[in-house]
Amino acid sequence: MLFGVSIPFLLHESRILYHAHHRIARLVETWKHTPLNQSPIQIGRSGYTIHLFSLDPLVIYVEGFINEEEAQHLISLADDNFQQSEIWSNNGTVGTVSPEIRDSQWASPTRDEVVRRVEKRTVDFQGYGRVGFLEPLKVLKYELGGHYNHHYDTFPHREARTSMEGNRFSTFFVYLQANCTGGGTNFPCFSPPKDDRWCQFVDCDEPYEAGVTFRPIPGNAIYWQNLRPSDRTPHPDLLHSGLPVTSGVKIGLNVWTWTPEDW
Ligand SMILES: O=C(O)CCC(=O)C(=O)O
Ligand SMILES: [Fe+2]
């Protein structure tokens, strides 16, 4: 049933991205030259715990990836700057998106000490310098009814290779605040985990056909590797959505790591 709604949007988004690739390529050029280590950073102890969810695709659940103080700080940096989330429009501009597809607000926080500490943590998590560059962090806010329909975080493989020379290699989706009901992150292609201990992080009451929905738990993160190591194409099972918030507010953080140029 989920596929019935997700596939048309997926195709729609791919077409939008296809037409806008020159614009994206220009933006990517600016991110590539943003140094990740401008000055020594005091690395706070994050004390996170990892739980391997799946090997293929690689999905790791990270408990306590961001502490409460960091989460509040990121929210306060974003607070005055939230604007309607956008996607790339047909004519190559960054445009507003139909609220049927995506209804959320976002902001890129200023790169202060805390932001750079979080950036560094995401880079270290993935094997120190093995990453290309990070897209500017995005704080994402959903209010009542807010959602983001099923999509992939990656750009179509051909465009990523030819005009952008890279792609969104991996995603960290971090929950910063979840004073809400609803708002889980759903992966319709995943099989529910067999061990009941996962029920603290995923919604075990969900019907089997719905795949897996991670509950929004502040401080915790889902990490996934978008590209298959075998052929570097987007992994088809990584379709996902931000489910509607049925009350309250959910705030998350996206950290997208791009492929190294020689990958
Ligand atoms: O809100 C969520 O749970 C997921 C958000 C997401 O997938 C995105 O921003 O790309
Ligand atoms: Fe996403």
Side-chain angles (χ1 to χ4, degrees):
M1 217 223 322
L2 276 165
F3 270 94
V5 291
S6 61
I7 292 302
F9 290 129
L10 174 66
L11 294 176
H12 179 64
E13 269 200 85
S14 305
R15 202 176 62 237
I16 290 169
L17 290 167
Y18 175 81
H19 286 293
H21 63 87
H22 292 301
R23 165 86 192 209
I24 299 167
R26 276 205 302 278
L27 269 178
V28 166
E29 270 310 309
T30 62
W31 302 331
K32 268 187 189 172
H33 300 293
T34 306
L36 289 175
N37 289 312
Q38 277 163 339
S39 59
I41 303 169
Q42 174 111 49
I43 304 298
R45 283 178 71 83
S46 52
Y48 56 75
T49 306
I50 62 170
H51 305 280
L52 180 63
F53 183 83
S54 155
L55 270 178
D56 181 21
L58 180 63
V59 181
I60 300 174
Y61 190 83
V62 194
E63 199 182 348
F65 188 66
I66 280 191
N67 67 37
E68 203 181 324
E69 214 181 322
E70 289 166 339
Q72 285 316 316
H73 183 77
L74 291 170
I75 294 168
S76 69
L77 288 179
D79 244 346
D80 290 336
N81 301 307
F82 278 116
Q83 3 171 314
Q84 205 60 29
S85 301
E86 297 164 324
I87 57 169
W88 314 97
S89 70
N90 255 336
N91 64 7
T93 55
V94 180
T96 47
V97 58
S98 154
E100 281 172 31
I101 297 176
R102 178 174 210 179
D103 182 7
S104 62
Q105 294 183 299
W106 69 14
S108 271
T110 318
R111 282 185 87 221
D112 72 355
E113 163 94 14
V114 173
V115 170
R116 287 190 297 122
R117 187 197 304 165
V118 171
E119 290 177 346
K120 174 110 175 47
R121 195 174 299 152
T122 66
V123 171
D124 292 350
F125 182 92
Q126 299 177 88
Y128 302 114
R130 281 188 53 247
V131 298
F133 55 93
L134 300 183
E135 197 171 319
L137 271 48
K138 280 264 161 60
V139 177
L140 193 59
K141 180 161 86 168
Y142 299 87
E143 289 171 329
L144 180 64
H147 66 278
Y148 187 5
N149 284 359
H150 285 102
H151 64 280
Y152 293 104
D153 286 350
T154 36
F155 297 95
H157 183 59
R158 196 165 65 94
E159 301 319 314
R161 297 256 349 134
T162 53
S163 50
M164 288 179 277
E165 297 167 21
N167 208 341
R168 282 178 175 156
F169 174 76
S170 68
T171 300
F172 276 93
F173 187 72
V174 192
Y175 302 104
L176 298 181
Q177 193 185 93
N179 302 325
C180 65
T181 54
T185 308
N186 175 254
F187 290 81
C189 306
F190 288 4
S191 302
K194 296 197 172 54
D195 193 312
D196 282 353
R197 280 173 291 184
W198 277 105
C199 299
Q200 58 186 310
F201 305 128
V202 310
D203 181 358
C204 290
D205 299 329
E206 195 131 65
Y208 187 81
E209 323 79 75
V212 169
T213 299
F214 290 91
R215 303 172 189 281
I217 302 175
N220 295 0
I222 317 165
Y223 168 82
W224 64 92
Q225 199 168 296
N226 287 302
L227 303 181
R228 287 191 286 209
S230 55
D231 60 3
R232 296 156 201 195
T233 58
H235 199 301
D237 292 350
L238 287 170
L239 192 67
H240 62 281
S241 69
L243 294 179
V245 166
T246 48
S247 71
V249 177
K250 163 186 163 192
I251 303 182
L253 173 76
N254 269 312
V255 187
W256 285 299
T257 301
W258 283 63
T259 42
E261 279 173 48
D262 60 351
W263 201 68

